[in-house]
Tab-separated table of all heavy atoms in Angstrom:
chain	number	residue	atom	x	y	z
B	140	PRO	N	-30.928	47.911	-9.692
B	140	PRO	CA	-29.884	47.259	-8.897
B	140	PRO	C	-29.568	45.834	-9.362
B	140	PRO	O	-28.398	45.425	-9.337
B	140	PRO	CB	-30.433	47.274	-7.464
B	140	PRO	CG	-31.853	47.685	-7.547
B	140	PRO	CD	-32.076	48.354	-8.871
B	141	VAL	N	-30.566	45.083	-9.772
B	141	VAL	CA	-30.324	43.694	-10.198
B	141	VAL	C	-29.396	43.680	-11.404
B	141	VAL	O	-28.421	42.918	-11.463
B	141	VAL	CB	-31.655	42.975	-10.530
B	141	VAL	CG1	-31.384	41.593	-11.118
B	141	VAL	CG2	-32.521	42.864	-9.276
B	142	SER	N	-29.675	44.522	-12.353
B	142	SER	CA	-28.838	44.570	-13.548
B	142	SER	C	-27.435	45.076	-13.206
B	142	SER	O	-26.442	44.612	-13.783
B	142	SER	CB	-29.539	45.456	-14.587
B	142	SER	OG	-28.606	46.086	-15.389
B	143	ALA	N	-27.323	45.997	-12.264
B	143	ALA	CA	-25.999	46.493	-11.864
B	143	ALA	C	-25.151	45.368	-11.270
B	143	ALA	O	-23.968	45.206	-11.598
B	143	ALA	CB	-26.145	47.617	-10.845
B	144	VAL	N	-25.765	44.566	-10.399
B	144	VAL	CA	-25.031	43.443	-9.803
B	144	VAL	C	-24.625	42.456	-10.895
B	144	VAL	O	-23.480	41.979	-10.934
B	144	VAL	CB	-25.887	42.749	-8.714
B	144	VAL	CG1	-25.197	41.480	-8.227
B	144	VAL	CG2	-26.142	43.699	-7.549
B	145	GLN	N	-25.542	42.178	-11.793
B	145	GLN	CA	-25.241	41.239	-12.876
B	145	GLN	C	-24.066	41.714	-13.725
B	145	GLN	O	-23.148	40.954	-14.020
B	145	GLN	CB	-26.468	41.076	-13.784
B	145	GLN	CG	-27.187	39.771	-13.520
B	145	GLN	CD	-28.481	39.682	-14.288
B	145	GLN	OE1	-29.052	40.701	-14.708
B	145	GLN	NE2	-28.953	38.469	-14.459
B	146	LYS	N	-24.090	42.972	-14.104
B	146	LYS	CA	-23.012	43.510	-14.942
B	146	LYS	C	-21.677	43.475	-14.188
B	146	LYS	O	-20.633	43.185	-14.774
B	146	LYS	CB	-23.333	44.953	-15.355
B	146	LYS	CG	-24.364	45.008	-16.478
B	146	LYS	CD	-24.654	46.444	-16.891
B	146	LYS	CE	-25.751	46.479	-17.955
B	146	LYS	NZ	-26.508	47.749	-17.876
B	148	LEU	N	-20.797	41.419	-11.774
B	148	LEU	CA	-20.328	40.033	-11.622
B	148	LEU	C	-19.734	39.504	-12.922
B	148	LEU	O	-18.800	38.705	-12.908
B	148	LEU	CB	-21.476	39.120	-11.159
B	148	LEU	CG	-21.977	39.365	-9.729
B	148	LEU	CD1	-23.180	38.469	-9.423
B	148	LEU	CD2	-20.878	39.128	-8.700
B	155	TYR	N	-17.227	33.517	-6.200
B	155	TYR	CA	-17.925	34.396	-5.276
B	155	TYR	C	-19.186	33.765	-4.716
B	155	TYR	O	-19.825	32.930	-5.345
B	155	TYR	CB	-18.271	35.740	-5.941
B	155	TYR	CG	-19.056	35.628	-7.238
B	155	TYR	CD1	-20.432	35.405	-7.236
B	155	TYR	CD2	-18.409	35.746	-8.465
B	155	TYR	CE1	-21.139	35.290	-8.429
B	155	TYR	CE2	-19.110	35.644	-9.659
B	155	TYR	CZ	-20.476	35.415	-9.638
B	155	TYR	OH	-21.168	35.289	-10.813
B	157	VAL	N	-22.064	36.214	-2.765
B	157	VAL	CA	-22.197	37.609	-2.323
B	157	VAL	C	-23.588	37.904	-1.787
B	157	VAL	O	-24.573	37.233	-2.124
B	157	VAL	CB	-21.894	38.630	-3.465
B	157	VAL	CG1	-20.464	38.548	-3.910
B	157	VAL	CG2	-22.856	38.454	-4.621
B	169	ILE	N	-29.931	41.221	-2.412
B	169	ILE	CA	-29.532	40.414	-3.572
B	169	ILE	C	-28.414	39.462	-3.162
B	169	ILE	O	-27.476	39.851	-2.447
B	169	ILE	CB	-29.066	41.315	-4.739
B	169	ILE	CG1	-30.246	42.180	-5.233
B	169	ILE	CG2	-28.517	40.480	-5.896
B	169	ILE	CD1	-29.882	43.130	-6.357
B	170	GLY	N	-28.528	38.222	-3.607
B	170	GLY	CA	-27.474	37.238	-3.385
B	170	GLY	C	-27.057	36.619	-4.705
B	170	GLY	O	-27.855	36.583	-5.647
B	171	ALA	N	-25.806	36.139	-4.803
B	171	ALA	CA	-25.362	35.466	-6.026
B	171	ALA	C	-24.263	34.479	-5.684
B	171	ALA	O	-23.536	34.660	-4.704
B	171	ALA	CB	-24.856	36.504	-7.034
B	172	ARG	N	-24.151	33.457	-6.490
B	172	ARG	CA	-23.161	32.422	-6.195
B	172	ARG	C	-22.407	31.988	-7.434
B	172	ARG	O	-22.993	31.831	-8.502
B	172	ARG	CB	-23.898	31.223	-5.593
B	172	ARG	CG	-23.377	29.909	-6.105
B	172	ARG	CD	-23.731	28.703	-5.311
B	172	ARG	NE	-22.722	27.711	-5.669
B	172	ARG	CZ	-22.471	26.610	-5.020
B	172	ARG	NH1	-23.163	26.310	-3.944
B	172	ARG	NH2	-21.524	25.807	-5.420
B	177	LEU	N	-24.020	29.430	-1.397
B	177	LEU	CA	-24.976	30.412	-0.895
B	177	LEU	C	-26.353	29.753	-0.855
B	177	LEU	O	-26.774	29.112	-1.830
B	177	LEU	CB	-25.001	31.661	-1.783
B	177	LEU	CG	-25.610	32.904	-1.109
B	177	LEU	CD1	-24.738	33.396	0.044
B	177	LEU	CD2	-25.803	34.031	-2.125
B	205	LEU	N	-28.573	27.609	-4.064
B	205	LEU	CA	-28.219	28.219	-5.345
B	205	LEU	C	-27.134	27.402	-6.035
B	205	LEU	O	-26.273	26.831	-5.375
B	205	LEU	CB	-27.717	29.654	-5.144
B	205	LEU	CG	-28.725	30.689	-4.666
B	205	LEU	CD1	-28.100	32.093	-4.729
B	205	LEU	CD2	-30.009	30.663	-5.502
B	206	ASP	N	-27.178	27.381	-7.358
B	206	ASP	CA	-26.101	26.768	-8.125
B	206	ASP	C	-25.224	27.857	-8.722
B	206	ASP	O	-25.593	29.041	-8.711
B	206	ASP	CB	-26.687	25.868	-9.221
B	206	ASP	CG	-27.226	24.573	-8.634
B	206	ASP	OD1	-26.489	23.918	-7.886
B	206	ASP	OD2	-28.407	24.245	-8.902
B	207	ASP	N	-24.062	27.438	-9.239
B	207	ASP	CA	-23.129	28.417	-9.802
B	207	ASP	C	-23.783	29.212	-10.923
B	207	ASP	O	-24.492	28.657	-11.768
B	207	ASP	CB	-21.881	27.715	-10.339
B	207	ASP	CG	-20.972	27.293	-9.200
B	207	ASP	OD1	-21.229	27.709	-8.053
B	207	ASP	OD2	-20.015	26.532	-9.464
B	208	GLY	N	-23.539	30.514	-10.903
B	208	GLY	CA	-24.085	31.391	-11.944
B	208	GLY	C	-25.482	31.885	-11.630
B	208	GLY	O	-26.065	32.642	-12.412
B	209	GLU	N	-26.033	31.492	-10.510
B	209	GLU	CA	-27.391	31.906	-10.171
B	209	GLU	C	-27.384	33.093	-9.196
B	209	GLU	O	-26.457	33.263	-8.406
B	209	GLU	CB	-28.176	30.742	-9.581
B	209	GLU	CG	-28.467	29.677	-10.630
B	209	GLU	CD	-29.204	28.458	-10.075
B	209	GLU	OE1	-29.355	28.358	-8.834
B	209	GLU	OE2	-29.601	27.621	-10.886
B	210	MET	N	-28.460	33.860	-9.278
B	210	MET	CA	-28.622	35.031	-8.425
B	210	MET	C	-30.008	34.949	-7.803
B	210	MET	O	-30.929	34.402	-8.411
B	210	MET	CB	-28.505	36.268	-9.313
B	210	MET	CG	-28.465	37.566	-8.543
B	210	MET	SD	-28.579	38.963	-9.646
B	210	MET	CE	-26.926	39.019	-10.275
B	211	VAL	N	-30.133	35.473	-6.590
B	211	VAL	CA	-31.462	35.494	-5.983
B	211	VAL	C	-31.806	36.939	-5.598
B	211	VAL	O	-30.958	37.675	-5.092
B	211	VAL	CB	-31.539	34.545	-4.772
B	211	VAL	CG1	-30.622	35.006	-3.649
B	211	VAL	CG2	-32.971	34.418	-4.267
B	212	VAL	N	-33.023	37.349	-5.891
B	212	VAL	CA	-33.497	38.688	-5.567
B	212	VAL	C	-34.565	38.533	-4.489
B	212	VAL	O	-35.617	37.926	-4.722
B	212	VAL	CB	-34.093	39.378	-6.821
B	212	VAL	CG1	-34.545	40.797	-6.471
B	212	VAL	CG2	-33.077	39.390	-7.941
B	219	LYS	N	-36.867	35.546	-5.981
B	219	LYS	CA	-36.817	35.260	-7.417
B	219	LYS	C	-35.403	34.787	-7.723
B	219	LYS	O	-34.430	35.463	-7.375
B	219	LYS	CB	-37.129	36.533	-8.199
B	219	LYS	CG	-37.257	36.332	-9.692
B	219	LYS	CD	-37.779	37.589	-10.399
B	219	LYS	CE	-36.682	38.625	-10.534
B	219	LYS	NZ	-37.026	39.777	-11.387
B	220	THR	N	-35.279	33.610	-8.331
B	220	THR	CA	-33.940	33.120	-8.692
B	220	THR	C	-33.775	33.228	-10.200
B	220	THR	O	-34.631	32.767	-10.964
B	220	THR	CB	-33.757	31.651	-8.266
B	220	THR	OG1	-34.922	30.911	-8.595
B	220	THR	CG2	-33.505	31.552	-6.774
B	221	ILE	N	-32.685	33.832	-10.614
B	221	ILE	CA	-32.439	34.004	-12.048
B	221	ILE	C	-31.036	33.523	-12.400
B	221	ILE	O	-30.159	33.414	-11.544
B	221	ILE	CB	-32.578	35.490	-12.469
B	221	ILE	CG1	-31.709	36.387	-11.585
B	221	ILE	CG2	-34.026	35.944	-12.423
B	221	ILE	CD1	-31.751	37.840	-11.990
B	222	ASN	N	-30.845	33.217	-13.679
B	222	ASN	CA	-29.508	32.806	-14.123
B	222	ASN	C	-28.794	33.975	-14.783
B	222	ASN	O	-29.293	35.110	-14.779
B	222	ASN	CB	-29.600	31.585	-15.057
B	222	ASN	CG	-30.267	31.931	-16.374
B	222	ASN	OD1	-30.461	33.104	-16.707
B	222	ASN	ND2	-30.638	30.902	-17.124
B	223	ARG	N	-27.630	33.694	-15.344
B	223	ARG	CA	-26.789	34.760	-15.902
B	223	ARG	C	-27.475	35.518	-17.040
B	223	ARG	O	-27.121	36.655	-17.327
B	223	ARG	CB	-25.471	34.176	-16.431
B	223	ARG	CG	-24.515	33.800	-15.332
B	223	ARG	CD	-23.086	33.677	-15.873
B	223	ARG	NE	-22.163	33.378	-14.783
B	223	ARG	CZ	-21.689	32.167	-14.488
B	223	ARG	NH1	-22.019	31.117	-15.205
B	223	ARG	NH2	-20.858	32.002	-13.475
B	225	ASN	N	-30.488	36.325	-17.067
B	225	ASN	CA	-31.663	36.999	-16.528
B	225	ASN	C	-32.944	36.168	-16.690
B	225	ASN	O	-34.046	36.681	-16.584
B	225	ASN	CB	-31.820	38.381	-17.198
B	225	ASN	CG	-32.411	39.382	-16.219
B	225	ASN	OD1	-32.678	39.046	-15.073
B	225	ASN	ND2	-32.640	40.598	-16.683
B	228	VAL	N	-35.124	30.876	-12.970
B	228	VAL	CA	-34.832	29.449	-12.781
B	228	VAL	C	-35.776	28.938	-11.695
B	228	VAL	O	-35.918	29.565	-10.647
B	228	VAL	CB	-33.381	29.249	-12.297
B	228	VAL	CG1	-32.979	27.797	-12.411
B	228	VAL	CG2	-32.425	30.147	-13.056
Side-chain angles (χ1 to χ4, degrees):
Chain B
V141 174
S142 150
V144 173
Q145 257 173 339
K146 283 181 184 151
L148 292 176
Y155 55 80
V157 295
I169 296 178
R172 139 163 202 165
L177 199 67
L205 292 189
D206 285 309
D207 284 350
E209 291 178 352
M210 188 189 282
V211 65
V212 182
K219 186 171 77 171
T220 44
I221 53 177
N222 67 13
R223 285 199 177 100
N225 213 1
V228 193

